[in-house]
Amino acid sequence: MGRWLELKVVKPSGLSEQRARFASKEVILNYFEELKTIFDKYELHNKPHHVYNIDENDINTEYRPLNIVAGFDARPQVVMAELSKTVTVIGRGNALG
């Protein structure tokens, strides 16, 4: 690791198979194109108090992935089975802060 300064040892985050299928560059770009269309249609560009994000996140209480080597700019993920003990957390916030 001393010779490869651009690498680090990290623990990958868990990603379900279903989410892994939709984590492609094309799907993400399409999402932001559709989001721009909605912002234009409802004139939300200067109204951050009207823009909310709500997210549900499952925290797996059993699976602990091994450490892996990855680049500093990488966000490694490991695909996990969806049938395991989890805790669900729901959070929300608006673009104003």
Side-chain angles (χ1 to χ4, degrees):
M1 293 299 296
R3 293 186 298 160
W4 303 97
L5 300 178
E6 67 274 7
L7 299 178
K8 62 182 176 179
V9 176
V10 295
K11 195 172 290 281
S13 63
L15 187 66
S16 70
E17 286 185 51
Q18 183 177 7
R19 285 190 174 206
R21 281 185 284 159
F22 294 106
S24 70
K25 185 175 181 177
E26 295 80 21
V27 170
I28 293 169
L29 289 175
N30 186 44
Y31 167 80
F32 282 104
E33 287 175 14
E34 290 183 29
L35 185 62
K36 183 183 180 314
T37 302
I38 291 169
F39 266 62
D40 292 341
K41 179 178 179 180
Y42 295 105
E43 300 175 356
L44 294 172
H45 293 284
N46 294 316
K47 299 175 186 172
H49 55 287
H50 288 293
V51 179
Y52 280 84
N53 183 29
I54 299 174
D55 190 31
E56 174 184 358
N57 194 1
D58 295 331
I59 301 170
N60 189 308
T61 61
E62 296 177 354
Y63 180 71
R64 302 285 182 253
L66 300 173
N67 290 341
I68 63 169
V69 176
F72 273 101
D73 58 344
R75 294 185 56 188
Q77 297 171 329
V78 61
V79 177
M80 309 177 351
E82 294 191 33
L83 299 175
S84 61
K85 293 181 181 177
T86 60
V87 175
T88 301
V89 178
I90 299 175
R92 73 177 179 113
N94 71 5
L96 190 59

